Amino acid sequence: MKLNNSKRLERLHDRYQNGDLSRRTFLTLTAAAAAAAGLDMPWMRQALAAVEEVRFDGWGGTVQDAIDKYAFQPYTAKTKLKVVQGTFGDEDEIITKIKTSKPGDYQVIHSSGVNYYIKYVNAGLTSEINEANIPNMVNVLQPMIEPFRKLTPKLSAVPYDYGTTGIAYNTKVISPEEAKEKGAALLLDKKYAGKVGGYSDMTTRVWYAALATGQDPNNLKDMDAIWAKVRETRDLAKKFWSSGAELMDLLSKGEIVVTDAWSGRVAALQDQGAPIGYLDPAGSYAWMEDMLILKGSPMAECEELINFMLDPATSIAVAEGQSYPPSLDPTKVKLTEKIEKLPAFDKSGTMKALTFADPVYWATNEDAWTKQWNRISKGA
């Protein structure tokens, strides 16, 4: 049977998708065929474009600056593959954009761990990573990988860093002793009314209300008490911040003296000499972040990029730059003294000292709790 050019290229594409051809061979043959026959098929443009760039979307600020400086720029210098970057302040916003975009428009997301991973999974936005293409995964903490694999045995994301949302306080106003004694209740101390901050996020608000009412954040029994505490914090707050940059600005200028806060952002402020203390009260909200590859992305290029990011030298440099511990297993990889001093760092590699959200429990309740949080945040 004689094949026409379209059929021949379709079969070539099928062989590539099935792993029978390397990316380089596939693209070389495709480009040759396109030039010879003048064909222009949708998958060809995507495949050829993948040779030139990968899109990444992250949290911006000091975190993304560190990733760009210590990972993306060296990667581009080595491979000539450009990393086009976007930012977001709220991951729900980027998920909404992804849902209304074409597959492949967004590719790698610096995502907020398993409780967001499940949202991508439920929306059908995830890919399937070929882990053989990311050999540096061998050094990633297994306790960080396991929660993702429970949701999808074939991973779409690779854990990259972690941290906590603890309590930050101005040490010129609040002593370490007072912070330790009051813990989560510090956010509800009327003495600091008008100087309290907090993350404008349902999960954080409900989590800290759970700690204040003595409930298990992964098994809440009294939601009326939760919402009452959320309202108390709202009434004492000067402002609920919505980004790491805003958090750092409010703390550094002294506009707020106590707030729940991301550990890495506080560490960055401390490095700058700001009088900011940090405390992880019992049950403090721990989270991990991952590099998520979306469905429709150029998989080989994205996997190559993530493997480069997980190289110990790269990952350590990024971790020191963004002030969050890397996902590298400290029992396998020698980390630096600076990383070992970062807030939330778990030297055991077991992660047992940290309390993470149960992704299924929180996903089950998310819609109802978000609606209530939205009402309360507007004054209800």
Side-chain angles (χ1 to χ4, degrees), residues 57 88 90-98 106 109 120:
D57 288 84
F88 55 84
D90 181 334
E91 192 164 350
D92 288 316
E93 292 178 5
I94 193 79
I95 292 175
T96 300
K97 290 180 180 178
I98 293 167
Y106 292 90
I109 304 293
Y120 294 94

Side-chain angles (χ1 to χ4, degrees), residues 45-261:
R45 277 173 284 170
Q46 183 178 356
L48 290 169
V51 178
E52 299 175 358
E53 64 184 37
V54 167
R55 181 181 173 94
F56 170 89
D57 288 84
W59 294 91
T62 56
V63 169
Q64 195 154 329
D65 287 347
I67 295 173
D68 178 56
K69 181 177 180 180
Y70 298 112
F72 293 161
Q73 292 183 29
Y75 177 73
T76 298
K78 179 181 178 181
T79 65
K80 309 305 179 189
L81 195 70
K82 185 179 179 182
V83 182
V84 178
Q85 299 179 56
T87 63
F88 55 84
D90 181 334
E91 192 164 350
D92 288 316
E93 292 178 5
I94 193 79
I95 292 175
T96 300
K97 290 180 180 178
I98 293 167
K99 286 179 178 176
T100 57
S101 67
K102 296 191 298 293
D105 284 353
Y106 292 90
Q107 297 171 355
V108 180
I109 304 293
H110 191 184
S111 179
S112 301
V114 285
N115 51 331
Y116 267 85
Y117 187 64
I118 196 170
K119 297 182 182 183
Y120 294 94
V121 173
N122 291 341
L125 300 173
T126 49
S127 63
E128 287 190 2
I129 289 173
N130 181 353
E131 294 181 36
N133 291 337
I134 310 178
N136 283 324
M137 276 187 69
V138 69
N139 290 322
V140 175
L141 284 157
Q142 285 301 312
M144 291 184 73
I145 293 177
E146 288 165 4
F148 290 91
R149 209 180 291 285
K150 284 181 180 176
L151 297 176
T152 60
K154 294 276 189 182
L155 297 175
S156 182
V158 178
Y160 196 66
D161 53 56
Y162 63 96
T164 52
T165 301
I167 303 290
Y169 56 94
N170 188 318
T171 55
K172 291 184 177 179
V173 180
I174 300 170
S175 70
E177 293 74 19
E178 180 184 357
K180 185 175 181 180
E181 177 188 349
K182 295 180 179 176
L186 199 57
L187 293 171
L188 296 160
D189 194 326
K190 292 182 172 56
K191 184 167 57 173
Y192 302 116
K195 288 288 187 179
V196 175
Y199 184 28
S200 180
D201 163 71
M202 179 277 290
T203 302
T204 305
R205 300 276 49 88
V206 170
W207 193 281
Y208 266 93
L211 298 186
T213 57
Q215 298 188 63
D216 178 356
N218 285 320
N219 187 23
L220 299 171
K221 300 296 186 185
D222 186 349
M223 288 307 299
D224 289 341
I226 294 293
W227 297 125
K229 288 299 179 187
V230 171
R231 287 189 176 90
E232 279 187 52
T233 307
R234 177 203 63 191
D235 293 343
L236 292 172
K238 177 180 179 62
K239 189 173 185 180
F240 284 144
W241 45 271
S242 58
S243 70
E246 187 178 18
L247 161 67
M248 293 173 72
D249 186 61
L250 288 167
L251 278 172
S252 63
K253 291 179 178 176
E255 293 188 40
I256 57 177
V257 299
V258 60
T259 177
D260 46 76

Side-chain angles (χ1 to χ4, degrees), residues 46 103-104 106-108 127 292-302:
Q46 183 178 356
Y106 292 90
Q107 297 171 355
V108 180
S127 63
L292 171 71
I293 304 178
L294 294 169
K295 185 178 181 180
S297 300
M299 294 303 295
E301 289 80 4
C302 293

Side-chain angles (χ1 to χ4, degrees), residues 12 22 28 42 48 97 101 166 172 190 227 269 282 286-287 297 303 308 311 343 346 351 363 367:
L12 194 63
S22 70
T28 300
L48 290 169
K97 290 180 180 178
S101 67
K172 291 184 177 179
K190 292 182 172 56
W227 297 125
L269 279 174
W287 39 264
S297 300
E303 290 163 352
F308 183 87
D311 180 273
D346 177 30
M351 314 296 280
D367 287 347

Side-chain angles (χ1 to χ4, degrees), residues 328-344:
L328 300 177
D329 187 338
T331 67
K332 296 180 179 178
V333 178
K334 175 62 177 175
L335 302 177
T336 62
E337 184 177 348
K338 182 174 181 178
I339 289 176
E340 292 176 351
K341 290 182 178 178
L342 289 175

Side-chain angles (χ1 to χ4, degrees), residues 248-318:
M248 293 173 72
D249 186 61
L250 288 167
L251 278 172
S252 63
K253 291 179 178 176
E255 293 188 40
I256 57 177
V257 299
V258 60
T259 177
D260 46 76
W262 300 333
S263 57
R265 300 290 179 153
V266 174
L269 279 174
Q270 291 170 334
D271 281 346
Q272 296 168 15
I276 305 298
Y278 185 74
L279 171 74
D280 270 324
S284 171
Y285 178 41
W287 39 264
M288 59 180 80
E289 295 180 325
D290 54 280
M291 295 298 162
L292 171 71
I293 304 178
L294 294 169
K295 185 178 181 180
S297 300
M299 294 303 295
E301 289 80 4
C302 293
E303 290 163 352
E304 182 184 46
L305 172 63
I306 290 175
N307 189 58
F308 183 87
M309 296 176 73
L310 286 174
D311 180 273
T314 305
S315 189
I316 288 171
V318 171

